[in-house]
Amino acid sequence: MARVLFFIALIIAAASAFVAPASNAVSSPAFARTSAPKMTEVVMDVDMISTFAQNANVIATSSGDFGGAFYPVAGLTLLGALILYLSPPLADE
């Protein structure tokens, strides 16, 4: 009985993760009118481009970060082992 109640509570908790929270905050209007940027004001200088390149390199990660390929390989192996465990061979009739 406790397992059934736990399973029902788990389903309710998982379903509640997809419900949008009610917010009483005042928000801005959905469509705010703004003026279009003028092309004369949009100028990219060398400093801005180099700053962007440096920030992009900070965000990017290499294949060796976070354990490399260990976690994907281990996860797929465990998933395959679970599938093999849950699907025993069919019995001869």
Side-chain angles (χ1 to χ4, degrees):
M1 183 68 180
R3 284 185 179 179
V4 174
L5 291 176
F6 177 73
F7 187 67
I8 291 172
L10 187 65
I11 290 173
I12 291 172
S16 68
F18 296 101
V19 177
S23 175
N24 296 334
V26 177
S27 64
S28 62
F31 298 102
R33 297 206 182 262
T34 59
S35 61
K38 297 177 182 171
M39 292 306 291
T40 57
E41 295 175 3
V42 181
V43 177
M44 295 186 73
D45 57 349
V46 177
D47 294 332
M48 188 167 79
I49 294 173
S50 64
T51 303
F52 176 76
Q54 289 172 355
N55 290 339
N57 288 337
V58 170
I59 295 171
T61 58
S62 66
S63 63
D65 290 345
F66 306 114
F70 172 74
Y71 291 110
V73 170
L76 289 173
T77 304
L78 288 174
L79 182 63
L82 178 67
I83 290 171
L84 285 175
Y85 176 74
L86 294 177
S87 60
L90 297 174
D92 292 335
E93 292 184 21

